[in-house]
Amino acid sequence: MSTPQGLAAEDAAVYGYGLVLSRADASIRAAARRELTAHRARRDAAEELWTEAAAAPVGYTTAPDTPTDPVQLAIRLESDCCEAWRAEIAAADTRERRSFCVDALTAAAVQLARWRTLVPGAPFEDLPGFPRD
């Protein structure tokens, strides 16, 4: 079986928040640590729910458009998690997995909104998977 998108996104977020922390100043360091811990816990819990899943790919590459600003990178990580967990809800085959996906999507969306408040006036696209009508 392949790796669920949500699990892969959480694994990438754990790695990505390491990058955020390496670039973070004192104003966001505590929040970045908190999110690293939250994503690590969510990844570990997802691994327990999807025991039959293949392991997430080892190693990561950063795309040329990967933000170097730590807040922008955190925004990208949370946005990616939102998109992955939203897709995973549709694929969830048990009530427990579906509930986990909804909780994970909610957590990522809340943190995405928090990070966005630190970039006043920045144009952001709609929440992934939820376009405005």
Side-chain angles (χ1 to χ4, degrees):
M1 174 176 229
S2 63
T3 303
Q5 291 178 47
L7 176 54
E10 291 299 332
D11 208 37
V14 169
Y15 174 79
Y17 270 104
L19 295 176
V20 170
L21 274 169
S22 73
R23 301 170 184 166
D25 63 22
S27 69
I28 66 165
R29 197 167 290 125
R33 278 193 190 110
R34 181 188 69 234
E35 288 310 305
L36 174 59
T37 300
H39 283 285
R40 188 176 287 137
R42 212 167 9 261
R43 179 204 55 200
D44 294 349
E47 285 176 344
E48 290 180 19
L49 274 176
W50 280 270
T51 56
E52 75 285 355
V58 176
Y60 301 93
T61 58
T62 54
D65 66 340
T66 299
T68 56
D69 174 78
V71 173
Q72 293 291 339
L73 179 54
I75 287 169
R76 168 78 61 83
L77 294 169
E78 296 300 341
S79 180
D80 290 350
C81 284
C82 285
E83 196 170 323
W85 285 118
R86 182 181 175 277
E88 205 61 52
I89 291 170
D93 56 357
T94 68
R95 184 180 195 137
E96 182 180 24
R97 286 180 178 179
R98 193 169 7 273
S99 177
F100 184 90
C101 294
V102 169
D103 290 345
L105 171 58
T106 301
V110 167
Q111 188 56 42
L112 175 60
R114 287 179 180 149
W115 286 126
R116 284 179 170 179
T117 65
L118 299 178
V119 187
F124 290 111
E125 67 281 354
D126 294 329
L127 181 64
F130 297 95
R132 284 183 237 156
D133 292 326

